Amino acid sequence: MLVALAGGTGAAKLLRGLARVTDPARLLIIGNTGDDLDWWGLHVSPDLDSVAYALAGRLDPARGWGLEGDTFHCRDAVADLGGETWFSLGDRDLATHVRRTELLRGGATLSAATRVLTAALGVAARLCPMSDDPVRTRLRTSAGWLGFQEYFVREKAEAEVYEIVYEGAAAARPAPGILPALAEAEAVIVCCSNPLTSIGPILAVPGIRAGLERTGAPVVAVSPIVGGAPVSGPAGKFLAARGLPVSALSIADLYAPWLDVLVIDRRDTGLGPDLERRGVRPVLAETLMTDGAAEVALAGAALAAVDLEP
């Protein structure tokens, strides 16, 4: 079993590559739910949905979220009625959130609801939330305290960030199956996700970081920082808020002491000696996934980095 920690569009691309180079049924994916929100009375899990849609071959390639070819008639009608529409949901995407909310209100856990949805989408990999308990990423910014989606979507990530907290994490428990999977894994892959708002919430759930420290499996991460800048999104602001440089070296520092290998872009070749001094083996690859072939190549490089056959 390969265990992956995932959140965001970069993770969806890498996981799509992994599902092409190996049997997707071999994958157990721990998805970030710190970005979840209630919207129009519905429970929305953006990161879980992006991964599920990507593995089902239905993710919109231009936006990197939502369903390809979706329309937004409902959103526009809500706007006509004076409702809030800063967070966009497509018409067919709405069905996912309606069904999830129906399941949750009927007593299902988020893990169980996710299994129903991924099975309906034909996803062979096992996708599970990091916890069935609510954990929400909150940011203290120049515009006040904001939820992640408020900051990223409504405020367009323009506010300065001073502090990041994972509300509810201390009382949360790992979703069923996560800790045994970490103990039994062939390898653990930390996707090229924002380390503080995509992977950070997962690590904040008590037991998961300890599981990574105890696992006998090699742990490989793919850096989301290339040449001193994030591939996408506001990761640079978040690293600065923690007093860390915008560098692949900061990824190694945040994932210490359980990280074994860090896949870095060839443009960061010069960081190799510093990584080795940190006890992390650097592996060079082309980490920008501009098309399906690049996704497959990077996924293959991540597996080869820990001596695993596809």
Side-chain angles (χ1 to χ4, degrees):
M1 177 189 301
L2 300 176
V3 177
L5 278 62
T9 56
K13 290 181 178 182
L14 181 60
L15 291 167
R16 189 162 53 195
L18 282 168
R20 290 171 180 162
V21 300
T22 193
D23 180 358
R26 189 182 181 191
L27 296 172
L28 184 144
I29 302 158
I30 305 170
N32 169 44
T33 57
D35 297 5
D36 285 19
L37 73 161
D38 291 322
W39 187 250
W40 297 341
L42 302 174
H43 184 114
V44 182
S45 294
D47 281 0
L48 294 180
D49 292 340
S50 290
V51 168
Y53 291 162
L55 294 177
R58 299 179 65 184
L59 184 68
D60 187 284
R63 292 192 302 265
W65 56 268
L67 290 162
E68 184 174 15
D70 213 347
T71 55
F72 293 85
H73 301 303
C74 182
R75 178 200 62 189
D76 295 343
V78 169
D80 290 342
L81 294 170
E84 285 192 292
T85 57
W86 57 262
F87 189 82
S88 285
L89 296 178
D91 297 325
R92 288 185 293 117
D93 187 26
L94 268 171
T96 298
H97 314 306
V98 168
R99 180 66 174 132
R100 177 188 293 113
T101 304
E102 177 185 42
L103 290 165
L104 293 174
R105 288 179 181 167
T109 62
L110 185 57
S111 294
T114 302
R115 287 195 297 272
V116 170
L117 294 171
T118 52
L121 288 166
V123 174
R126 181 180 170 190
L127 173 62
C128 61
M130 62 198 196
S131 178
D132 287 330
D133 302 310
V135 178
R136 298 293 178 264
T137 300
R138 299 276 295 166
L139 309 173
R140 185 169 66 85
T141 76
S142 54
W145 280 100
L146 300 172
F148 180 81
Q149 300 300 341
E150 292 172 319
Y151 168 79
F152 187 63
V153 180
R154 191 186 71 192
E155 303 298 322
K156 299 179 172 57
E158 293 175 353
E160 292 301 313
V161 178
Y162 307 127
E163 185 179 0
I164 304 166
V165 300
Y166 310 115
E167 196 172 78
R173 295 164 297 173
I178 286 179
L179 297 184
L182 289 173
E184 299 164 8
E186 300 172 74
V188 178
I189 300 168
V190 184
C191 292
C192 39
S193 305
N194 188 309
L196 293 170
T197 56
S198 291
I199 303 301
I202 299 174
L203 300 178
V205 176
I208 293 182
R209 187 183 293 272
L212 288 164
E213 293 177 3
R214 288 194 302 264
T215 185
V219 182
V220 56
V222 179
S223 175
I225 306 295
V226 174
V231 174
S232 64
K237 283 188 174 183
F238 299 149
L239 288 169
R242 287 283 177 91
L244 295 169
V246 184
S247 165
L249 297 178
S250 294
I251 305 302
D253 292 339
L254 285 166
Y255 296 162
W258 44 264
L259 181 66
D260 299 308
V261 180
L262 184 63
V263 179
I264 58 174
D265 194 82
R266 297 186 189 281
R267 278 166 279 194
D268 288 321
T269 302
L271 300 179
D274 286 328
L275 286 169
E276 288 172 350
R277 280 191 286 272
R278 286 165 164 81
V280 175
R281 179 165 60 88
V283 169
L284 299 177
E286 296 295 333
T287 62
L288 297 181
M289 293 174 285
T290 55
D291 55 27
E295 294 170 5
V296 166
L298 183 56
L303 292 181
V306 288
D307 299 321
L308 282 183
E309 294 293 328

